Amino acid sequence: MNSINEITVKDRKGNNVPLSGYSNEIVLIVNTATKSPLTPQYADLEALYEKYHSQGFAILDFPSNQPTKSCPGTDEMIHNFCKDTYNTEFPRFKKVKVNGDDADPLYKYLTEKFPGDITEDFTKFLINKIGKVVARFDASTPIADIDAKIAELIA
């Protein structure tokens, strides 16, 4: 596989979504959790989305109960929590596994490009306009650092 554009994921309702639909956009892929100490990062993510969305930037939210078991509930419950609590507008997908043999193909691809298991919620992968993974950020990376990298890719 040469890019995320060759991968199809499921939206929160179970429909197939080819990631090729995000060609020519800068994409930030995030494994999220609603009951994690890191859950307030949704506010920072929404601010990034609002800042850059009109310039060809997307955030793809993949809720996961891995690695911390901090994402209980159905896909619809997770979506409603994020909308009601953080007013998120970026796309949210079906809950996935991010580690192990049964990890979602997207996460197998991401961790092949930037090796290592996902060890925390809100690990972020930055994808350039041709679908290549260009950076991996752990949850403690300051949002300003991620913002700077997005700005660099958009320019």
Side-chain angles (χ1 to χ4, degrees), residues 5-19:
N5 295 334
E6 298 173 45
I7 299 172
T8 296
V9 296
K10 300 267 187 204
D11 69 13
R12 72 178 193 278
K13 296 183 186 283
N15 301 310
N16 286 333
V17 178
L19 292 181

Side-chain angles (χ1 to χ4, degrees), residues 7-44:
I7 299 172
T8 296
V9 296
K10 300 267 187 204
D11 69 13
R12 72 178 193 278
K13 296 183 186 283
N15 301 310
N16 286 333
V17 178
L19 292 181
S20 59
Y22 292 94
S23 296
N24 299 314
E25 291 188 55
I26 305 302
V27 176
L28 189 67
I29 296 173
V30 187
N31 67 295
T32 60
T34 55
K35 302 290 184 196
S36 167
L38 302 169
T39 301
Q41 285 194 21
Y42 270 117
D44 291 334

Side-chain angles (χ1 to χ4, degrees), residues 105-135:
L106 172 62
Y107 274 87
K108 285 183 178 181
Y109 176 77
L110 295 171
T111 56
E112 175 187 294
K113 297 302 174 190
F114 277 82
D117 280 351
I118 307 294
T119 59
E120 59 190 353
D121 303 319
F122 290 87
T123 298
K124 300 159 193 79
F125 292 88
L126 189 61
I127 315 300
N128 69 13
K129 290 182 179 183
I130 59 170
K132 303 282 186 190
V133 187
V134 296

